[in-house]
Amino acid sequence: MIPLSIQAVGIKDIQLPVRIREKNGGLQNTVATVSMQACMPGSYRESCVTVFTQALNKYMDEMSVTIFSTLLEEVRGALKAESASIVMSFPYFIEKKAPVTGTRSLMEYNCTFTGSIAGGRDEGFILSVLVPVTTLCPCSKEISAAGAHNQRAEVSLNVKFRKFIWVEELIDMVEQSASCPVYALLKRPDEKYVTEQAYNNPMFVEDVVRKVAVTCLAHPDITWFSAGVESFESIHKHSAYAYVDSEDIR
């Protein structure tokens, strides 16, 4: 067999229970979908699956970006690989109170940790959140004698950082940048409140992505970010979309 180096060898979409540290100090049990890969030297002949799965099992009790460097360096060293990377996606639940009645419910957010290491050097880790929000169309409000169309939107925010940032912090930043947050459970007084809040705070997707960008630029620990906003339009067949990358901001 010809000893060729392979750019990517690994495991993909393995699911396992993990515990994620919460901002309040607790640990949240969830199920993560994990993919890991390594750039393998041509001389390596052993299976890499055991190395990957053993590393994941070792750290699954408290998985976070803070231990990714250690995990990936162990994998890279065991496989004699030039580099190693990991992508871990999981649902994360936050208890939210309805704005008027205080009714409690669990809101689900999709989160992703991404990391890579090469030659013992940290290539940078990315924390990503996908946050549902409400937007209300400014032009619809302006031209209508009564009412305005609103829609549910999703904001995808990805950040690199110099100091650890909590998932909860990013979610709050995004929710404060929309016409109104989304809740898992609302009673009638809450529905009135969020409907009027969105009506009094109309925003295009461009407005939302700009506000997210301004908030990220002002954060002292965020070194890079990208944000995308997709609005699932209620009166159009298509979606509206806006995107910004901090490297392209002038």
Side-chain angles (χ1 to χ4, degrees):
M1 185 178 295
I2 300 174
L4 295 176
S5 295
I6 300 175
Q7 280 69 39
V9 175
I11 55 177
K12 186 178 181 185
D13 294 341
I14 182 173
Q15 291 187 313
L16 71 161
V18 297
R19 294 199 296 172
I20 306 296
R21 183 161 295 282
E22 300 173 324
K23 187 178 181 180
N24 63 12
L27 289 170
Q28 182 173 142
N29 294 304
T30 187
V31 177
T33 300
V34 183
S35 297
M36 294 182 68
Q37 64 183 34
C39 180
M40 301 291 293
S43 59
Y44 196 82
R45 288 291 182 271
E46 303 300 326
S47 170
C48 63
V49 174
T50 300
V51 173
F52 287 130
T53 53
Q54 283 180 340
L56 290 174
N57 288 332
K58 179 178 178 181
Y59 292 104
M60 71 180 184
D61 281 343
E62 190 177 345
M63 187 71 73
S64 72
V65 291
T66 57
I67 59 91
F68 271 16
S69 292
T70 302
L71 184 156
L72 290 174
E73 186 55 37
E74 288 184 10
V75 169
R76 193 187 70 83
L79 296 175
K80 300 179 176 59
E82 296 176 15
S83 62
S85 62
I86 182 172
V87 178
M88 183 178 79
S89 300
F90 56 93
Y92 189 77
F93 293 87
I94 297 177
E95 185 182 82
K96 294 180 70 174
K97 287 197 270 185
V100 178
T101 65
T103 304
R104 297 174 182 270
S105 61
L106 289 176
M107 188 73 186
E108 178 185 353
Y109 302 90
N110 292 319
C111 305
T112 302
F113 295 161
T114 305
S116 62
I117 196 166
R121 185 181 71 258
D122 186 339
E123 295 290 297
F125 294 87
I126 299 174
L127 174 57
S128 305
V129 294
L130 185 63
V131 183
V133 296
T134 295
T135 57
L136 186 133
C137 179
C139 63
S140 173
K141 178 180 177 179
E142 182 178 350
I143 65 177
S144 301
H149 82 84
N150 64 355
Q151 50 273 317
R152 184 169 57 84
E154 285 185 339
V155 181
S156 175
L157 175 61
N158 314 288
V159 303
K160 292 182 180 180
F161 44 88
R162 58 173 58 89
K163 291 183 180 179
F164 183 76
I165 297 177
W166 295 101
V167 166
E168 291 90 338
E169 186 177 355
L170 291 186
I171 291 171
D172 183 63
M173 289 166 58
V174 170
E175 291 183 334
Q176 295 301 316
S177 300
S179 295
C180 183
V182 170
Y183 298 84
L185 179 61
L186 296 171
K187 296 185 177 180
R188 287 294 180 87
D190 305 307
E191 290 184 11
K192 178 180 184 297
Y193 178 90
V194 298
T195 300
E196 292 175 346
Q197 181 182 358
Y199 186 80
N200 292 324
N201 189 29
M203 301 182 78
F204 294 116
V205 287
E206 302 97 307
D207 299 321
V208 177
V209 84
R210 287 190 183 107
K211 194 168 181 180
V212 171
V214 169
T215 303
C216 289
L217 288 170
H219 197 292
D221 296 322
I222 293 178
T223 59
W224 167 88
F225 69 87
S226 69
V229 182
E230 181 177 5
S231 174
F232 307 104
E233 297 288 286
S234 59
I235 62 171
H236 304 293
K237 183 176 174 59
H238 59 266
S239 293
Y241 184 73
Y243 175 83
V244 66
D245 187 309
S246 61
E247 293 185 350
D248 297 327
I249 294 177
R250 297 292 185 266

